[in-house]
Amino acid sequence: MKYVCKKCENIYAPNPEVIKCECGGALWLDYEGKLKKSDIHQNDFTMWRYSAAYPVKREDVKISFGEGLTPFSTIDYKEYEIIVKQDNLMPTGSFKDRGVAMVTNYLNNLGVTKFTEDSSGNGGSAFAGYCALGRIDCKIFVPAGTSEGKIAQMKVYGANLVEVEGTRAHVASEAMKSIDGSIYVGHNWHPFFVHGVKSVAYEMWEQNGFKAPDNVICVAGNGSMIIGVYLGFKELLDSDEIDRMPKIYGIQADNYNTLYREFVGDDIEFKPLPTIAEGISIYKSTKHEEVVEFVKKTKGKFISVTEDEIKNALLEIGEKGFYIEPTSAAAFAGLNRLIDEKIIDKSEQTAIIISGNGLKATDKIMKLL
Ligand SMILES: *Cc1c(COP(=O)(O)O)cnc(C)c1O
Ligand SMILES: [Zn+2]
């Protein structure tokens, strides 16, 4: 295995100290998983049942909550049948656990005992939880003003928190600077992270009767969920387990919509404004070009939604029994647009991923009521 930069084609040997390319580009793991139905470990009821397609194999997994296999259930939604992938029910309450489980096990097996992460909340909660389970020392840089639910969660797990004023990018650069003997594991950079997120694609495929849905709706900040969904289904396509890719719809908030702007050809220099969707307040993805390209390849789209649309979507889906994070509600605001603008059809199968649990953002949700 090796790390590759898609910008300058530099190659690196995987090493815990190497997190990004000298040119500033993101590194990708040069690894293509293959997965056949017959490769599934039938008695393993976690994301590791698809371990044949992962760079860390299930026999090497030492730190696990038994993550994965979240419910995938069909609901009536505005005269459509929508399938809801409930990653709000992951062990620390967000889909980030998929990627963090992969990164943590990879590094733990190499003997790394101190992690430094930066996060707007859920990446940090996930690393804090897995580090608590694996008795790894964990330091997390968070933007000032992060939801109290996530801060409380990280503190209870015993992580060492550093609140930083300024933009999300500034928080990341502070984290990278202060690596006093610890390894920077930033989930937006670590090449193993997206290989854990891929599991959500395999699960949807299996839970859907070994078929790809026609459409998959993902909220998009750094775009790791989009990348995971893309890579997972692409590997299934290359393994002849599905015959076409689902269209991927990436949903962003108007106040932070660089991927959308790139997709529609608008200027990507703009002044971001605060958004209630804190998990996607990322000015520019570390894998900006690639995320846009992946969505285009599936013939999907990016959609950008207003703060009001996000708030309304949160309350609307709440009335159907799903208590979700405002960040995740952006996906439903996008679904509303896809329906209103007749971009998706009732005859198609549409899946939507709930990325995070509402209980993490109680303070923000209270203000909506
Ligand atoms: C991190 C996060 C996102 C955004 O995911 P990306 O992979 O950065 O696009 C969406 N929702 C929640 C709840 C998150 O924690
Ligand atoms: Zn490079």
Side-chain angles (χ1 to χ4, degrees), residues 146-218:
T146 293
S147 285
E148 282 174 12
K150 298 176 190 172
I151 300 277
Q153 193 181 5
M154 291 186 258
K155 286 191 174 163
V156 169
Y157 289 139
N160 176 1
L161 286 199
V162 187
E163 276 193 63
V164 182
E165 296 287 344
T167 63
R168 187 65 188 75
H170 177 68
V171 178
S173 72
E174 287 300 296
M176 287 195 213
K177 262 191 247 162
S178 100
I179 32 178
D180 49 17
S182 136
I183 290 291
Y184 178 71
V185 297
H187 64 276
N188 289 332
W189 290 101
H190 202 288
F192 276 67
F193 184 79
V194 292
H195 287 271
V197 180
K198 287 190 312 199
S199 56
V200 75
Y202 307 139
E203 289 181 20
M204 291 195 284
W205 161 70
E206 183 174 12
Q207 290 171 315
N208 196 36
F210 298 104
K211 285 199 316 278
D214 296 295
N215 308 306
V216 177
I217 303 173
C218 304

Coordinates of all heavy atoms in Angstrom, one line a residue, residues 146-218:
T146 N -18.8 25.3 19.7 CA -19.3 24.0 19.3 C -20.4 23.6 20.3 O -20.4 23.9 21.4 CB -18.1 23.0 19.4 OG1 -17.2 23.3 18.4 CG2 -18.5 21.5 19.2
S147 N -21.4 22.8 19.7 CA -22.5 22.4 20.6 C -22.1 21.8 21.9 O -21.2 20.9 21.9 CB -23.4 21.4 19.8 OG -24.1 22.0 18.8
E148 N -22.8 22.2 22.9 CA -22.5 21.7 24.3 C -22.6 20.2 24.4 O -21.8 19.5 25.1 CB -23.5 22.3 25.3 CG -23.2 23.7 25.7 CD -24.3 24.3 26.6 OE1 -25.1 23.5 27.1 OE2 -24.2 25.5 26.7
G149 N -23.5 19.6 23.6 CA -23.7 18.1 23.7 C -22.4 17.4 23.3 O -22.0 16.4 23.9
K150 N -21.7 17.9 22.3 CA -20.5 17.3 21.8 C -19.3 17.5 22.7 O -18.5 16.7 23.0 CB -20.2 17.8 20.4 CG -21.3 17.5 19.3 CD -21.0 18.1 18.0 CE -22.2 18.0 17.1 NZ -22.0 18.7 15.8
I151 N -19.3 18.8 23.3 CA -18.2 19.1 24.2 C -18.4 18.2 25.5 O -17.4 17.6 25.9 CB -18.4 20.6 24.7 CG1 -18.2 21.5 23.5 CG2 -17.4 20.9 25.8 CD1 -16.8 21.9 23.1
A152 N -19.6 18.1 25.9 CA -19.8 17.2 27.1 C -19.4 15.8 26.8 O -18.7 15.1 27.6 CB -21.3 17.2 27.5
Q153 N -19.7 15.3 25.6 CA -19.4 13.9 25.3 C -17.9 13.7 25.2 O -17.4 12.8 25.8 CB -20.0 13.7 23.9 CG -20.0 12.2 23.4 CD -20.6 12.1 22.0 OE1 -20.9 13.0 21.3 NE2 -20.8 10.8 21.7
M154 N -17.2 14.6 24.6 CA -15.7 14.5 24.5 C -15.1 14.5 25.9 O -14.2 13.8 26.2 CB -15.1 15.6 23.7 CG -15.5 15.4 22.2 SD -14.7 16.6 21.1 CE -16.0 17.8 20.8
K155 N -15.6 15.4 26.8 CA -15.1 15.5 28.2 C -15.3 14.2 29.0 O -14.5 13.8 29.7 CB -15.7 16.7 28.9 CG -15.1 18.0 28.4 CD -15.5 19.2 29.3 CE -14.8 20.5 28.8 NZ -15.5 21.7 29.4
V156 N -16.5 13.7 28.8 CA -16.9 12.5 29.6 C -16.0 11.3 29.1 O -15.5 10.5 29.9 CB -18.4 12.1 29.4 CG1 -18.7 10.7 29.9 CG2 -19.2 13.2 30.2
Y157 N -15.6 11.3 27.8 CA -14.7 10.3 27.3 C -13.3 10.5 27.8 O -12.4 9.6 27.6 CB -14.7 10.2 25.8 CG -16.0 9.7 25.1 CD1 -16.4 10.4 23.9 CD2 -16.6 8.6 25.5 CE1 -17.6 9.9 23.3 CE2 -17.8 8.1 24.8 CZ -18.2 8.8 23.7 OH -19.3 8.4 23.0
G158 N -13.1 11.7 28.4 CA -11.7 11.9 28.9 C -10.7 12.5 28.0 O -9.5 12.5 28.3
A159 N -11.2 13.1 26.9 CA -10.3 13.8 26.0 C -9.8 15.1 26.5 O -10.5 15.7 27.3 CB -11.0 14.0 24.6
N160 N -8.7 15.5 26.1 CA -8.1 16.8 26.4 C -8.6 17.8 25.4 O -8.2 17.7 24.2 CB -6.6 16.6 26.5 CG -5.8 17.8 26.8 OD1 -6.4 18.9 27.0 ND2 -4.5 17.7 26.8
L161 N -9.5 18.8 25.8 CA -10.1 19.7 24.8 C -9.4 21.0 24.7 O -9.1 21.6 25.8 CB -11.5 20.0 25.1 CG -12.5 18.9 24.9 CD1 -13.9 19.5 24.8 CD2 -12.3 18.2 23.6
V162 N -9.2 21.5 23.5 CA -8.6 22.9 23.3 C -9.6 23.6 22.5 O -9.8 23.3 21.3 CB -7.3 22.8 22.6 CG1 -6.6 24.2 22.6 CG2 -6.3 21.8 23.3
E163 N -10.3 24.6 23.0 CA -11.2 25.5 22.2 C -10.4 26.6 21.6 O -9.6 27.3 22.2 CB -12.3 26.0 23.1 CG -13.5 25.1 23.3 CD -14.7 25.7 23.9 OE1 -15.3 26.6 23.3 OE2 -15.1 25.3 25.0
V164 N -10.7 26.7 20.3 CA -9.9 27.7 19.5 C -10.9 28.7 18.8 O -11.9 28.3 18.2 CB -9.0 27.0 18.4 CG1 -8.2 28.1 17.6 CG2 -8.1 26.0 19.0
E165 N -10.6 30.0 18.9 CA -11.4 31.0 18.2 C -11.0 31.0 16.7 O -9.8 30.7 16.4 CB -11.2 32.4 18.8 CG -11.6 32.6 20.2 CD -13.1 32.7 20.4 OE1 -13.8 32.9 19.4 OE2 -13.5 32.5 21.6
G166 N -11.9 31.4 15.9 CA -11.5 31.6 14.5 C -12.1 30.6 13.6 O -13.0 29.8 14.0
T167 N -11.7 30.5 12.3 CA -12.3 29.6 11.3 C -12.0 28.2 11.6 O -11.0 27.9 12.3 CB -11.8 30.0 9.9 OG1 -10.4 29.7 9.8 CG2 -12.1 31.4 9.5
R168 N -12.7 27.3 10.9 CA -12.5 25.9 11.0 C -11.1 25.6 10.5 O -10.4 24.7 11.1 CB -13.5 25.2 10.2 CG -13.6 23.7 10.2 CD -14.0 23.3 11.6 NE -13.9 21.8 11.6 CZ -12.7 21.2 11.7 NH1 -11.6 21.8 11.8 NH2 -12.7 19.8 11.7
A169 N -10.6 26.2 9.4 CA -9.3 26.0 8.9 C -8.2 26.4 9.9 O -7.2 25.7 10.0 CB -9.1 26.8 7.6
H170 N -8.5 27.5 10.6 CA -7.5 27.9 11.6 C -7.4 26.9 12.8 O -6.3 26.6 13.3 CB -8.0 29.3 12.2 CG -7.1 29.8 13.3 ND1 -5.8 30.2 13.1 CD2 -7.3 30.0 14.6 CE1 -5.2 30.6 14.2 NE2 -6.2 30.4 15.2
V171 N -8.6 26.3 13.2 CA -8.6 25.3 14.2 C -7.7 24.1 13.8 O -6.9 23.6 14.5 CB -10.0 24.8 14.5 CG1 -10.0 23.7 15.5 CG2 -10.9 26.0 14.9
A172 N -7.8 23.8 12.5 CA -7.0 22.6 12.0 C -5.5 23.0 12.0 O -4.7 22.1 12.4 CB -7.5 22.3 10.6
S173 N -5.2 24.2 11.6 CA -3.7 24.5 11.5 C -3.2 24.6 13.0 O -2.0 24.2 13.2 CB -3.4 25.7 10.7 OG -3.9 26.9 11.4
E174 N -4.0 25.0 13.9 CA -3.5 25.0 15.3 C -3.2 23.6 15.8 O -2.2 23.3 16.5 CB -4.5 25.7 16.2 CG -4.6 27.2 16.1 CD -3.3 27.9 16.4 OE1 -2.9 27.8 17.6 OE2 -2.7 28.5 15.5
A175 N -4.1 22.7 15.4 CA -4.0 21.3 15.8 C -2.7 20.7 15.2 O -1.9 20.0 15.9 CB -5.2 20.5 15.4
M176 N -2.5 21.0 13.9 CA -1.3 20.4 13.3 C 0.0 20.9 13.8 O 1.0 20.3 13.8 CB -1.4 20.7 11.8 CG -2.4 19.9 11.1 SD -2.2 20.0 9.3 CE -3.8 19.9 8.7
K177 N 0.0 22.2 14.4 CA 1.2 22.8 14.9 C 1.6 22.2 16.3 O 2.7 22.1 16.6 CB 0.9 24.3 15.2 CG 1.4 25.2 14.1 CD 1.3 26.6 14.6 CE 0.2 27.4 13.8 NZ -0.3 28.6 14.5
S178 N 0.6 21.8 17.0 CA 0.9 21.4 18.4 C 0.9 19.9 18.6 O 0.2 19.4 19.4 CB -0.2 22.0 19.3 OG -1.1 21.1 19.7
I179 N 1.8 19.3 17.9 CA 1.8 17.8 18.0 C 2.9 17.3 18.9 O 3.4 16.2 18.7 CB 1.8 17.1 16.6 CG1 2.5 17.9 15.6 CG2 0.4 16.8 16.2 CD1 2.6 17.3 14.3
D180 N 3.2 17.9 20.0 CA 4.0 17.4 21.1 C 4.1 15.9 21.3 O 3.4 15.3 22.2 CB 3.5 18.0 22.4 CG 1.9 17.9 22.5 OD1 1.3 17.1 21.8 OD2 1.3 18.6 23.3
G181 N 4.7 15.2 20.4 CA 4.9 13.8 20.5 C 3.7 13.0 20.2 O 3.6 11.7 20.3
S182 N 2.6 13.7 19.7 CA 1.4 12.9 19.4 C 1.2 12.9 17.9 O 1.9 13.7 17.2 CB 0.3 13.7 20.2 OG -0.9 13.8 19.4
I183 N 0.4 12.0 17.4 CA 0.2 11.9 16.0 C -1.1 12.6 15.6 O -2.1 12.4 16.1 CB 0.1 10.4 15.6 CG1 1.4 9.7 15.8 CG2 -0.4 10.2 14.2 CD1 2.5 10.1 14.8
Y184 N -1.0 13.5 14.6 CA -2.1 14.2 14.0 C -3.0 13.2 13.2 O -2.5 12.6 12.3 CB -1.7 15.4 13.2 CG -2.9 16.1 12.6 CD1 -3.7 16.9 13.4 CD2 -3.2 16.0 11.2 CE1 -4.8 17.6 12.9 CE2 -4.3 16.7 10.7 CZ -5.1 17.5 11.5 OH -6.2 18.1 11.0
V185 N -4.3 13.1 13.6 CA -5.1 12.1 13.0 C -6.3 12.7 12.2 O -7.2 12.1 11.8 CB -5.7 11.1 14.0 CG1 -4.6 10.3 14.6 CG2 -6.5 11.8 15.1
G186 N -6.3 14.1 12.0 CA -7.4 14.8 11.5 C -8.2 14.0 10.5 O -7.7 13.6 9.4
H187 N -9.5 13.9 10.7 CA -10.3 13.0 9.9 C -10.5 13.5 8.5 O -10.8 12.8 7.6 CB -11.7 12.7 10.6 CG -12.5 13.9 10.7 ND1 -12.4 14.8 11.8 CD2 -13.5 14.4 9.9 CE1 -13.3 15.7 11.6 NE2 -13.9 15.6 10.5
N188 N -10.4 14.8 8.3 CA -10.5 15.4 7.0 C -9.2 15.2 6.1 O -9.3 15.4 4.9 CB -10.8 16.9 7.0 CG -12.2 17.1 7.5 OD1 -13.1 16.3 7.4 ND2 -12.4 18.3 8.2
W189 N -8.2 14.7 6.7 CA -6.9 14.4 6.0 C -6.6 13.0 6.0 O -6.0 12.5 5.0 CB -5.8 15.2 6.7 CG -5.8 16.7 6.5 CD1 -6.3 17.6 7.4 CD2 -5.5 17.4 5.3 NE1 -6.2 18.9 6.8 CE2 -5.7 18.8 5.6 CE3 -5.0 17.1 4.0 CZ2 -5.4 19.8 4.6 CZ3 -4.7 18.1 3.1 CH2 -5.0 19.4 3.4
H190 N -6.8 12.2 7.1 CA -6.2 10.9 7.2 C -6.7 10.0 6.0 O -7.9 9.7 5.9 CB -6.6 10.3 8.5 CG -5.6 9.2 8.8 ND1 -5.5 8.0 8.2 CD2 -4.5 9.2 9.7 CE1 -4.5 7.3 8.6 NE2 -3.9 8.0 9.5
P191 N -5.7 9.4 5.3 CA -6.1 8.6 4.1 C -6.9 7.4 4.4 O -7.6 6.9 3.5 CB -4.8 8.3 3.5 CG -3.8 9.3 4.0 CD -4.3 9.6 5.3
F192 N -6.9 6.9 5.6 CA -7.6 5.7 6.0 C -9.1 6.0 6.3 O -10.0 5.1 6.3 CB -7.0 4.9 7.2 CG -5.9 4.0 6.7 CD1 -4.7 4.5 6.2 CD2 -6.0 2.6 6.9 CE1 -3.7 3.6 5.8 CE2 -5.0 1.8 6.5 CZ -3.8 2.3 6.0
F193 N -9.4 7.2 6.6 CA -10.7 7.6 7.1 C -11.9 7.2 6.1 O -12.8 6.5 6.5 CB -10.8 9.1 7.5 CG -12.1 9.5 8.1 CD1 -12.4 9.3 9.4 CD2 -13.1 10.2 7.3 CE1 -13.6 9.7 10.0 CE2 -14.3 10.6 7.8 CZ -14.5 10.4 9.2
V194 N -11.7 7.6 4.9 CA -12.8 7.3 3.9 C -13.0 5.8 3.7 O -14.0 5.4 3.2 CB -12.6 8.1 2.6 CG1 -12.7 9.6 2.8 CG2 -11.2 7.8 2.0
H195 N -11.9 5.0 3.9 CA -12.0 3.6 3.7 C -12.9 2.9 4.8 O -13.4 1.8 4.6 CB -10.7 2.9 3.6 CG -10.0 3.3 2.3 ND1 -10.2 2.5 1.2 CD2 -9.3 4.4 1.9 CE1 -9.6 3.1 0.1 NE2 -9.0 4.2 0.6
G196 N -13.1 3.6 5.9 CA -14.1 3.2 6.9 C -15.5 3.6 6.5 O -16.4 2.9 6.7
V197 N -15.5 4.9 6.0 CA -16.9 5.4 5.6 C -17.5 4.6 4.5 O -18.7 4.5 4.4 CB -16.7 6.9 5.3 CG1 -18.1 7.5 4.9 CG2 -16.1 7.7 6.4
K198 N -16.7 4.0 3.7 CA -17.2 3.1 2.6 C -18.2 2.1 3.1 O -19.1 1.7 2.3 CB -16.0 2.2 2.0 CG -15.0 2.9 1.2 CD -14.1 1.9 0.4 CE -13.5 0.8 1.3 NZ -12.3 0.2 0.6
S199 N -18.0 1.7 4.3 CA -18.9 0.7 4.9 C -20.4 1.0 4.8 O -21.2 0.2 4.6 CB -18.6 0.4 6.4 OG -18.7 1.6 7.1
V200 N -20.7 2.3 4.8 CA -22.1 2.7 4.7 C -22.7 2.3 3.3 O -23.9 2.0 3.2 CB -22.3 4.3 5.0 CG1 -21.9 5.1 3.8 CG2 -23.7 4.6 5.4
A201 N -21.9 2.3 2.3 CA -22.3 1.9 1.0 C -22.6 0.4 0.9 O -23.6 0.0 0.4 CB -21.3 2.3 -0.1
Y202 N -21.7 -0.4 1.5 CA -21.9 -1.8 1.5 C -23.1 -2.2 2.3 O -23.9 -3.1 1.9 CB -20.7 -2.6 2.1 CG -19.4 -2.2 1.6 CD1 -18.3 -2.1 2.4 CD2 -19.2 -2.1 0.2 CE1 -17.0 -1.7 1.9 CE2 -18.0 -1.7 -0.3 CZ -16.9 -1.6 0.5 OH -15.7 -1.3 0.1
E203 N -23.3 -1.5 3.4 CA -24.5 -1.8 4.2 C -25.8 -1.5 3.5 O -26.7 -2.3 3.5 CB -24.5 -1.0 5.5 CG -23.4 -1.5 6.5 CD -23.4 -0.8 7.8 OE1 -24.4 -0.1 8.2 OE2 -22.3 -0.8 8.5
M204 N -25.8 -0.3 2.8 CA -27.1 0.0 2.1 C -27.3 -1.0 1.0 O -28.5 -1.3 0.7 CB -26.9 1.5 1.5 CG -27.0 2.5 2.6 SD -27.3 4.2 2.0 CE -25.7 4.6 1.3
W205 N -26.2 -1.4 0.3 CA -26.4 -2.4 -0.7 C -26.9 -3.7 -0.2 O -27.9 -4.2 -0.7 CB -24.9 -2.6 -1.3 CG -24.7 -3.8 -2.1 CD1 -25.2 -4.1 -3.4 CD2 -23.8 -4.9 -1.8 NE1 -24.7 -5.3 -3.8 CE2 -23.9 -5.8 -2.8 CE3 -23.0 -5.2 -0.7 CZ2 -23.1 -7.0 -2.8 CZ3 -22.3 -6.4 -0.7 CH2 -22.3 -7.3 -1.7
E206 N -26.4 -4.2 0.9 CA -26.8 -5.5 1.4 C -28.3 -5.3 2.0 O -29.1 -6.2 1.7 CB -25.9 -6.0 2.5 CG -26.4 -7.4 3.0 CD -25.4 -8.1 4.0 OE1 -24.5 -7.5 4.5 OE2 -25.7 -9.3 4.3
Q207 N -28.5 -4.3 2.7 CA -29.8 -4.1 3.4 C -30.9 -3.8 2.3 O -32.1 -3.9 2.6 CB -29.8 -2.9 4.4 CG -28.9 -3.3 5.6 CD -28.7 -2.0 6.5 OE1 -28.3 -1.0 6.0 NE2 -28.9 -2.2 7.8
N208 N -30.5 -3.4 1.1 CA -31.4 -3.2 0.0 C -31.5 -4.4 -0.9 O -31.9 -4.3 -2.0 CB -30.9 -2.0 -0.7 CG -32.0 -1.4 -1.6 OD1 -33.1 -1.3 -1.3 ND2 -31.6 -0.9 -2.8
G209 N -31.2 -5.5 -0.3 CA -31.3 -6.8 -1.1 C -30.2 -6.9 -2.2 O -30.5 -7.3 -3.3
F210 N -29.0 -6.4 -1.8 CA -27.9 -6.5 -2.7 C -28.1 -5.7 -4.0 O -27.8 -6.1 -5.1 CB -27.5 -7.9 -3.0 CG -27.0 -8.7 -1.8 CD1 -27.9 -9.6 -1.2 CD2 -25.8 -8.4 -1.2 CE1 -27.5 -10.3 0.0 CE2 -25.4 -9.1 -0.1 CZ -26.2 -10.0 0.5
K211 N -28.7 -4.5 -3.9 CA -28.9 -3.6 -5.0 C -28.5 -2.2 -4.6 O -28.6 -1.8 -3.4 CB -30.4 -3.5 -5.4 CG -31.0 -4.7 -6.1 CD -32.3 -4.4 -6.8 CE -33.3 -3.6 -6.1 NZ -34.1 -4.3 -5.1
A212 N -28.0 -1.4 -5.5 CA -27.7 0.0 -5.3 C -29.0 0.7 -5.4 O -29.8 0.5 -6.3 CB -26.7 0.5 -6.3
P213 N -29.3 1.7 -4.5 CA -30.5 2.5 -4.7 C -30.2 3.4 -6.0 O -29.1 3.5 -6.4 CB -30.5 3.4 -3.5 CG -29.5 2.9 -2.5 CD -28.6 2.0 -3.3
D214 N -31.3 4.1 -6.5 CA -31.0 4.9 -7.7 C -30.3 6.2 -7.2 O -29.5 6.8 -8.0 CB -32.4 5.3 -8.3 CG -33.0 4.1 -8.9 OD1 -32.4 3.5 -9.8 OD2 -34.1 3.7 -8.4
N215 N -30.7 6.7 -6.0 CA -30.2 8.0 -5.6 C -29.8 7.9 -4.1 O -30.4 7.2 -3.3 CB -31.3 9.1 -5.6 CG -32.0 9.1 -6.9 OD1 -31.4 9.3 -7.9 ND2 -33.3 9.0 -6.9
V216 N -28.6 8.5 -3.8 CA -28.2 8.6 -2.4 C -28.0 10.0 -2.0 O -27.3 10.8 -2.8 CB -26.9 7.8 -2.1 CG1 -26.5 7.9 -0.7 CG2 -27.1 6.3 -2.5
I217 N -28.6 10.5 -1.0 CA -28.5 11.9 -0.6 C -27.6 12.0 0.7 O -27.9 11.3 1.7 CB -29.9 12.5 -0.2 CG1 -30.8 12.3 -1.5 CG2 -29.8 13.9 0.2 CD1 -32.3 12.7 -1.2
C218 N -26.6 12.8 0.5 CA -25.6 13.0 1.6 C -25.5 14.5 1.9 O -25.3 15.3 1.0 CB -24.2 12.6 1.2 SG -24.0 10.9 0.5

